[in-house]
Amino acid sequence: MSESWDDYADGWDSDESVKTYSELAYRSLLKEFNPQECRIFDFGCGTGLLTEKLSRHAVSIVALDPSEKMIAVLNDKGLQNVTTITSELHQQLIDSSEIFTTGFDLIVASSALAFVADYEQSLRLLKQLLKPGGLFIQWDWLKHENAEGRGFSKLQILSAFEKAGFTECTTSIPFSLASEHGSMEVIMGIGRTD
């Protein structure tokens, strides 16, 4: 997966639809949560468009992505409170890295979870990284039941969140983007830890 994303890294931040998605995800987050003084984990951060916005508020951010070139673009932004990791998320990484021992107040996954091999397992890994009372927010394309393509339905998200052990699980459609195929809706899933 990371090699194909490397191909997009150079032009990612200049793509207007990518910038708009990031801005609208950020605004929808601020309606749900105040990231001020939080420790944040950005899963599948790409070039860090959302990371950059959140870094204005956060105490610290750990930004993870499997694409070396995407991470290189983020590193070039010189964000002082951001630590980057080039890797997939797996239990061995969590167990072997001190950066994960403290836990996070907020975990975000913007247009990332539709590309993982095992969605439910990824959610279980992410949940264990949250502090008690921590918040997880996911944005991905809305996929209607039995539809083809990447994305998630409301039922898929709520079911997977519940299986992963999140509480207070909700979904909404915070924004949509115009495309050559019409308007594409983005679904936001939110879950908490006890």
Side-chain angles (χ1 to χ4, degrees):
M1 179 174 91
S2 59
E3 288 178 27
S4 63
W5 286 107
D6 281 347
D7 296 340
Y8 296 103
D10 288 338
W12 196 253
D13 283 7
S14 59
D15 184 314
E16 286 303 320
S17 64
V18 170
K19 292 192 302 189
T20 300
Y21 190 112
S22 172
E23 178 62 29
L24 294 173
Y26 173 67
R27 289 183 197 172
S28 65
L29 182 151
L30 294 180
K31 290 178 183 176
E32 300 292 336
F33 186 80
N34 179 0
Q36 202 66 38
E37 301 301 314
C38 285
R39 188 162 187 268
I40 300 172
F41 180 52
D42 188 348
F43 173 80
C45 63
T47 60
L49 288 170
L50 184 57
T51 306
E52 189 172 8
K53 290 171 177 46
L54 291 171
S55 71
R56 303 173 201 151
H57 310 282
V59 169
S60 64
I61 299 179
V62 175
L64 176 138
D65 199 276
S67 166
E68 287 183 27
K69 289 186 178 179
M70 290 277 194
I71 289 291
V73 173
L74 173 52
N75 286 335
D76 286 346
K77 295 176 181 179
L79 303 172
Q80 297 301 307
N81 60 343
V82 175
T83 302
T84 58
I85 300 173
T86 306
S87 178
E88 301 277 350
L89 183 66
H90 48 79
Q91 193 65 53
Q92 183 180 358
L93 175 68
I94 293 170
D95 293 343
S96 65
S97 178
E98 286 187 27
I99 204 159
F100 293 115
T101 57
T102 307
F104 298 94
D105 304 293
L106 173 67
I107 296 177
V108 295
S110 179
S111 197
L113 284 165
F115 299 96
V116 298
D118 188 332
Y119 176 50
E120 290 181 14
Q121 175 61 18
S122 295
L123 288 176
R124 284 190 288 274
L125 292 172
L126 291 166
K127 183 186 175 288
Q128 70 177 290
L129 297 176
L130 279 172
K131 293 179 180 177
L135 189 74
F136 171 72
I137 303 180
Q138 163 189 350
W139 299 267
D140 276 290
W141 297 114
L142 174 65
K143 184 171 80 173
H144 296 282
E145 299 300 329
N146 303 317
E148 298 289 320
R150 294 204 188 271
F152 297 96
S153 70
K154 176 181 178 178
L155 184 61
Q156 283 176 304
I157 289 176
L158 292 176
S159 174
F161 276 34
E162 185 178 306
K163 287 178 184 174
F166 287 103
T167 60
E168 300 178 37
C169 304
T170 62
T171 61
S172 64
I173 310 298
F175 60 93
S176 60
L177 295 177
S179 77
E180 61 217 32
H181 307 293
S183 180
M184 294 181 65
E185 294 176 310
V186 171
I187 188 167
M188 178 170 68
I190 300 177
R192 288 193 179 274
T193 55
D194 291 330

